Amino acid sequence: MSDPAEHDSRLQLRSEELRVVVSARGARITSLKSRDGREWLVRARGDASVAPGYGVVFTDTAHCGWDEMFPSVDACAYPVAPYEGQPVPDHGELWSATWDVVKQTPETLHQRVHSERFAYTFERALTLDGATLHAEYSCVLDGEAAATVPLLWALHPQFSLSEGSRVLLSPSPSHLLDTTDAMNVRPVPWNGDLVVERDVKWGDDRMLYATPEAVVAEAAIVDRSGELLRLTWDHSFAPYLGIWMDNGRYTDQLVVALEPTNGFFDDVSRAWGSGQVGLFAPGQRLSWWVNVNVEQGGH
């Protein structure tokens, strides 16, 4: 991986409707701002200019914005050969690495990073089109990699909510799974929406998943003003959806992370054991996409 201590350059994209700021370190999107000035992403509570070292705990850093989690979410020992027993760091590898810029224009940004430890190259190309941010992903194992292996990707955009913001899912599931305690997963009813300050005690966080058989086509955040952020993604690659909510435990804001993922749930080892994780073959390039659309009030 590239040295995370390199200069943390800032990269900007602009359209008439959106302004996006991206960091070279972690390819972290640090700002997603509407034309009216609404900032959709959480700002860092501490000093975000301090470069995190490889393998540190994500919540021990001044985390903010939108990251990519890969090849696991939770820290674990990798489950299969040729990397069996290798430690996978918390939140994965990508967020603490410096990505190379492949191409940049005022409306596009293509970044790439290589993992020597797990022999893959991961790429993300952002395109702004009016009020839509389109993210196109690809990942390929090195051609000389020894075997087909499981690799778990999950989106991690920490969206900042105003009081009364509602999270909507479509189509509505009958229930969700509360995985906050991974050893005590329990079903909870879906009552039409999620509201962080209603559904998470102050000082706590909470992790929910749509059930593996549920087909949630999109997730949305609606402010009291009616301004709406809509998230859609490539279900053929990422058939699962996690929802992380924080009410003052790790941030000083109301936060929801809408997390499409190709594994169920946060640990690549556990997902492999249940047969619910994407597989990557040497030399085979897998591609997928995510769209974020921001709509003005009146909805």
Side-chain angles (χ1 to χ4, degrees):
M1 289 240 168
S2 303
D3 181 3
E6 291 178 14
H7 178 63
D8 185 19
S9 59
R10 301 286 171 176
L11 307 162
Q12 296 193 33
L13 306 175
R14 291 179 181 271
S15 71
E16 291 187 2
E17 302 295 331
L18 292 175
R19 174 180 174 271
V20 175
V21 180
V22 186
S23 169
R25 186 167 60 248
R28 172 178 283 164
I29 302 175
T30 58
S31 178
L32 174 64
K33 189 173 288 189
S34 302
R35 180 174 57 182
D36 63 2
R38 164 67 155 98
E39 175 58 73
W40 285 96
L41 292 173
V42 168
R43 298 294 193 181
R45 184 157 58 178
D47 184 0
S49 67
V50 178
Y54 184 91
V56 302
V57 176
F58 181 75
T59 52
D60 287 345
T61 68
H63 55 89
C64 61
W66 163 340
D67 299 282
E68 311 296 336
M69 299 187 286
F70 191 83
S72 185
V73 176
D74 291 345
C76 65
Y78 194 80
V80 297
Y83 312 114
E84 187 171 6
Q86 280 265 34
V88 184
D90 178 50
H91 206 79
E93 297 189 297
L94 303 185
W95 68 280
S96 62
T98 297
W99 296 40
D100 296 323
V101 175
V102 179
K103 182 180 179 180
Q104 183 181 11
T105 74
E107 295 86 24
T108 64
L109 176 62
H110 182 181
Q111 292 169 281
R112 174 189 296 148
V113 65
H114 179 71
S115 170
E116 295 180 1
R117 177 171 294 195
F118 295 105
Y120 63 79
T121 298
F122 190 102
E123 301 186 41
R124 188 188 69 194
L126 300 175
T127 302
L128 270 184
D129 182 9
T132 299
L133 176 62
H134 176 72
E136 189 77 28
Y137 297 86
S138 71
C139 183
V140 61
L141 293 184
D142 294 352
E144 63 273 16
T148 297
V149 294
L151 298 171
L152 192 156
W153 168 81
L155 194 69
H156 189 244
Q158 297 183 76
F159 292 121
S160 177
L161 308 183
S162 56
E163 189 172 344
S165 294
R166 302 167 62 219
V167 176
L168 308 177
L169 302 179
S170 179
S172 293
S174 61
H175 63 283
L176 301 175
L177 297 177
D178 190 324
T179 67
T180 307
D181 179 355
M183 297 297 104
N184 184 29
V185 176
R186 58 188 181 87
V188 293
W190 172 258
N191 294 317
D193 62 14
L194 294 170
V195 178
V196 172
E197 65 270 29
R198 180 194 70 198
D199 298 323
V200 184
K201 294 179 181 178
W202 167 249
D204 282 352
D205 69 324
R206 193 177 184 189
M207 188 71 205
L208 302 172
Y209 266 87
T211 59
E213 65 275 8
V215 180
V216 177
E218 66 177 50
I221 299 166
V222 183
D223 283 351
R224 280 182 170 172
S225 67
E227 191 165 15
L228 180 147
L229 181 146
R230 190 187 311 275
L231 181 74
T232 54
W233 62 93
D234 185 349
H235 286 262
S236 65
F237 176 83
Y240 311 108
L241 176 66
I243 303 169
W244 178 70
M245 298 181 288
D246 183 60
N247 190 6
R249 181 174 183 183
Y250 295 111
T251 70
D252 54 6
Q253 302 158 69
L254 298 171
V255 178
V256 66
L258 304 174
E259 302 180 1
T261 175
N262 73 328
F264 183 81
F265 42 101
D266 290 343
D267 177 330
V268 68
S269 180
R270 180 169 182 157
W272 164 255
S274 66
Q276 295 171 312
V277 66
L279 300 178
F280 290 70
Q284 177 189 17
R285 182 175 298 275
L286 296 182
S287 301
W288 65 101
W289 56 268
V290 170
N291 280 336
V292 174
N293 182 256
V294 176
E295 303 173 13
Q296 299 301 309
H299 299 277

